Amino acid sequence: SYCTLGDGPVKGKTVFVSGGAGAVGHTCIQLAKWSGANVIASGSENGFEHIRDAGADHVFDYRDPDLSKKILDICPDGVDRAIEVEFGENVNLLHKIGRQNGEISLYGGAKNMNPSFPFGPYLFKALTINIALIYILPKQCRDLAIQALHNAHSDGALKMAVGDVFNLEECALSHDATLETQTRRETSGERTNRQTGRLTGLNQNFTVSRCLGDVGALDCDKLSLVIPLGTLNANLKPFHAQACVGTDKA
């Protein structure tokens, strides 16, 4: 929400979303469309359908050597805002596709944390780079982002992809599933939903732990723990969560 709308409204603007099939990118596309933007997104070919389902107007393979040309064919002056998940990998793309005085909302770069930065092309377009780290986002910015999510949800504009469902006592398995999916994403491209047996693309981005039974006054059939796949840093050691079963607190 902050990456999409934190620099202001996008109605009538062109927004580029890198990694449109990922958890954040998929949500950014929906929010940008809800806000009235023309959306261009990139991703892997096996995620194109998922990206289009989010509302992207144009979808391209992120590995396409002509990606910048194809984007500029759509908007010759460049995009108004680029939302980037892998800055280090795309540092030489963004200055090509951004318009003068354009904005880059940057929230990731795990594949290359120490890129060589071509300062000149960014300088002479006066591109603004807004780095978003949700953990230290100022309260005012956080409140605006949360309110935008509520408004979009109330308007029926958000569809959260659910990859799997776990009972609360299986929450350790849900954490393991996020790590397993990260490992398998590069080699498999699909996985099986435990409850339905249907094959689900790895970019179905959420694992859900559902609480069954009563916890105090809460209706636990309506209480869910939602864990976006990919939020756990691949460099961190796997960890396990232990559910509080048989107590009045969780």
Side-chain angles (χ1 to χ4, degrees):
S1 178
Y2 177 74
C3 289
T4 309
L5 304 172
D7 291 321
V10 293
K11 183 176 182 179
K13 296 184 177 183
T14 299
V15 174
F16 170 72
V17 179
S18 172
V24 177
H26 193 257
T27 303
C28 289
I29 293 171
Q30 295 179 76
L31 288 170
K33 289 304 297 179
W34 169 72
S35 302
N38 179 45
V39 178
I40 304 170
S42 68
S44 299
E45 190 171 343
N46 63 359
F48 281 7
E49 182 178 354
H50 189 54
I51 296 172
R52 292 190 180 99
D53 285 345
D57 299 285
H58 309 276
V59 183
F60 299 115
D61 192 322
Y62 77 97
R63 295 161 294 197
D64 190 332
D66 295 323
L67 179 58
S68 60
K69 179 181 182 301
K70 291 180 178 180
I71 292 173
L72 293 175
D73 284 344
I74 297 169
C75 50
D77 292 333
V79 302
D80 298 286
R81 182 169 303 164
I83 301 172
E84 182 56 61
V85 60
E86 284 293 347
F87 182 71
E89 295 290 288
N90 293 317
V91 67
N92 289 307
L93 168 72
L94 295 168
H95 68 77
K96 296 176 183 177
I97 65 172
R99 65 164 174 81
Q100 293 180 358
N101 299 299
E103 301 156 347
I104 299 169
S105 292
L106 164 61
Y107 67 94
K111 291 183 179 180
N112 183 358
M113 296 293 280
N114 296 287
S116 176
F117 183 69
F119 179 66
Y122 282 81
L123 170 66
F124 290 107
K125 277 192 173 180
L127 292 169
T128 297
I129 299 177
N130 184 2
I131 300 177
L133 185 62
I134 189 65
Y135 316 108
I136 59 173
L137 195 64
K139 185 178 185 304
Q140 182 179 4
C141 296
R142 183 185 295 271
D143 290 345
L144 290 172
I146 291 172
Q147 188 59 55
L149 284 171
H150 279 294
N151 293 342
H153 182 265
S154 297
D155 289 344
L158 291 179
K159 297 183 297 181
M160 296 294 102
V162 177
D164 216 332
V165 179
F166 295 83
N167 296 329
L168 181 62
E169 58 268 24
E170 298 177 307
C171 62
L173 294 177
S174 73
H175 284 281
D176 289 345
T178 66
L179 297 173
E180 177 189 3
T181 301
Q182 287 181 3
T183 302
R184 294 176 58 189
R185 180 174 289 134
E186 295 182 357
T187 58
S188 174
E190 60 184 21
R191 69 187 181 90
T192 303
N193 182 290
R194 295 182 326 119
Q195 291 196 337
T196 65
R198 292 195 299 267
L199 287 175
T200 308
L202 288 181
N203 283 316
Q204 303 296 311
N205 301 107
F206 295 92
T207 298
V208 178
S209 292
R210 184 175 58 201
C211 176
L212 301 177
D214 294 326
V215 178
L218 296 177
D219 181 352
C220 289
D221 282 333
K222 297 180 181 178
L223 178 64
S224 297
L225 170 65
V226 182
I227 306 164
L229 296 185
T231 57
L232 298 179
N233 190 313
N235 295 321
L236 296 178
K237 294 180 180 179
F239 66 92
H240 292 271
Q242 183 173 1
C244 299
V245 181
T247 70
D248 61 353
K249 295 182 180 179

